[in-house]
Amino acid sequence: MAYLEPPPFPAPVIVEKDVGGVVADYQARTEQYRREGREVRLHECRSACTLALSLPNVCVYPSSVLKFHKAYDWNTKIRDEAVSAELMSSYPLAVQARLGELTRDYRVLSGAELIALGVRDCRMGETRIARARPAPAAPPAAADSGNLFGTILAAITPKSPTPPTAVAARATAVAEPAAPDPSLVPAPLPPRRPSDLDVAPESVEVAETPLPPRRPRVLTATLGLPELIAGAQPTLPYGVLSYSAFGR
């Protein structure tokens, strides 16, 4: 885009490459931009185009290139000192000091040099836009007993749904619990006794063991003889003792 061919207002004038021309034409367009408060962004600007440096809303990039020289008559090619003085006086004072005395040859200043001399960096506005953050949403007002409207608003305000990634992460955390520390695992309890031993001691019935039957007394006590076990054979020789004497 050229300096003399601006886009519809209020779009900024972006000068990609302008090689200059008749100073009067550039002075008229510069005054139009001044009245409109139009922003002018310079990339490559030569000769009469450098009048843009007189605008309050002009800016350059560090890679921009501006070329200055003395004005001259287009037909005779003779230098015009009056017009050259007008051009020089339109530049910021710091730029005038850096340029010094101009000639017909180009004196080149980079955008980085102009920014160091006080010309606005076009990236400043772009950086602010890129880093702009939306204002944080105000937390809902706490409902109290004296604010019925606040209580109803808090009840009907929908809650933000949980993002799917958060649900998946939560499911993974539940499905895969952390392994317990072996030092903290309690020792297993001994096996329980049989159920028949769980009865209280006082309710257990102890079976009494029956005593063996008393052996029959085969001899009378008066004889002083030992008792014989039923079915046993006598130990005395046959004929010495007769069982008839004992009532058998």
Side-chain angles (χ1 to χ4, degrees), residues 180-187:
D181 188 352
S183 62
L184 302 179
V185 176

Side-chain angles (χ1 to χ4, degrees), residues 15-19 42-46 49 64-67:
V15 181
E16 297 290 345
K17 183 175 181 179
D18 192 304
V19 297
L42 303 178
H43 287 274
E44 183 175 345
C45 178
R46 306 179 190 176
C49 174
S64 299
V65 176
L66 274 71
K67 299 182 179 181

Side-chain angles (χ1 to χ4, degrees), residues 29-98:
R29 189 65 77 184
T30 301
E31 292 307 314
Q32 174 191 343
Y33 297 155
R34 194 186 312 276
R35 290 191 305 269
E36 295 174 346
R38 188 85 69 100
E39 181 183 26
V40 178
R41 303 174 186 175
L42 303 178
H43 287 274
E44 183 175 345
C45 178
R46 306 179 190 176
S47 187
C49 174
T50 58
L51 277 169
L53 291 178
S54 66
L55 293 171
N57 292 333
V58 69
C59 67
V60 296
Y61 295 90
S63 58
S64 299
V65 176
L66 274 71
K67 299 182 179 181
F68 307 81
H69 66 84
K70 274 195 172 183
Y72 59 90
D73 186 275
W74 183 264
N75 296 317
T76 63
K77 309 301 181 184
I78 298 176
R79 290 179 296 184
D80 191 328
E81 297 295 341
V83 175
S84 298
E86 290 182 13
L87 287 173
M88 179 66 75
S89 63
S90 68
Y91 304 146
L93 294 178
V95 176
Q96 294 181 35
R98 175 62 63 89

Side-chain angles (χ1 to χ4, degrees), residues 149-238:
F149 177 75
T151 305
I152 297 174
L153 181 62
I156 65 175
T157 301
K159 296 182 179 180
S160 300
T162 304
T165 53
V167 174
R170 189 184 306 166
T172 303
V174 173
E176 298 180 1
D181 188 352
S183 62
L184 302 179
V185 176
L189 298 175
R192 291 177 58 81
R193 296 180 300 170
S195 59
D196 58 345
L197 297 181
D198 292 342
V199 184
E202 57 270 16
S203 63
V204 177
E205 295 181 1
V206 181
E208 295 184 0
T209 304
L211 298 176
R214 297 178 61 83
R215 293 179 296 173
R217 301 180 64 83
V218 297
L219 295 178
T220 58
T222 56
L223 297 178
L225 296 176
E227 298 179 352
L228 294 178
I229 300 174
Q233 297 296 325
T235 57
L236 296 178
Y238 180 76

